[in-house]
């Protein structure tokens, strides 16, 4: 099956130890999909999508992450970016009952 005219797929494969942000721009409109994959400590292949940030537009407030993982080989990582440079931010975590969550080391 061929790719329809005007459509193109590109896969970015950074070095295994890459930590950072890809800044992607184009003179023509495009859609981006982000997928993160890894093998956990039990050698399970895990894959998840996560949102693409448009740094030219303000983020909604508050930003809500419906699920987080902590323990049993799972973690949740938050990457905070700002087009303005360094800023101060606060992350607050609450359970379904509204009680603040506590995380161990």
């Amino acid at each position: 099956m061929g790719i329809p005219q005007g459509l193109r797929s590109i896969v970015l494969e950074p070095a295994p130890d890459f930590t950072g942000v890809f800044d992607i721009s184009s003179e023509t409109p495009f859609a981006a999909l982000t997928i993160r994959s890894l093998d956990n400590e039990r050698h399970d292949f895990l894959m998840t999508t996560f949102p693409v940030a448009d740094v030219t537009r303000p983020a909604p407030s508050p930003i809500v992450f419906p699920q987080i993982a902590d323990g049993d080989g799972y973690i949740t990582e938050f990457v905070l970016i700002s087009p303005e440079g360094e800023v101060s931010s606060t992350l607050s975590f609450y359970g379904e009952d509204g009680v603040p969550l506590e995380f161990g080391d």
Side-chain angles (χ1 to χ4, degrees):
M1 176 193 285
I3 297 176
Q5 185 176 4
L7 297 181
R8 186 172 172 179
S9 174
I10 299 173
V11 177
L12 299 175
E13 295 187 35
D17 59 348
F18 173 80
T19 299
V21 175
F22 285 112
D23 186 1
I24 304 169
S25 62
S26 173
E27 293 180 3
T28 58
F30 68 93
L33 171 68
T34 56
I35 299 175
R36 181 175 185 175
S37 65
L38 61 100
D39 292 309
N40 68 7
E41 293 170 351
R42 294 186 301 255
H43 305 289
D44 299 322
F45 178 73
L46 304 175
M47 185 183 302
T48 186
T49 61
F50 56 101
V52 176
D54 182 350
V55 296
T56 65
R57 300 174 61 191
S61 181
I63 299 173
V64 177
F65 298 91
Q67 296 178 343
I68 57 172
D70 180 42
D72 292 330
Y74 295 95
I75 63 169
T76 297
E77 179 179 58
F78 293 93
V79 178
L80 306 177
I81 60 173
S82 170
E84 304 298 319
E86 189 173 323
V87 296
S88 175
S89 299
T90 301
L91 293 176
S92 301
F93 300 93
Y94 300 93
E96 292 180 69
D97 56 4
V99 174
L101 294 175
E102 294 186 22
F103 296 95
D105 292 334

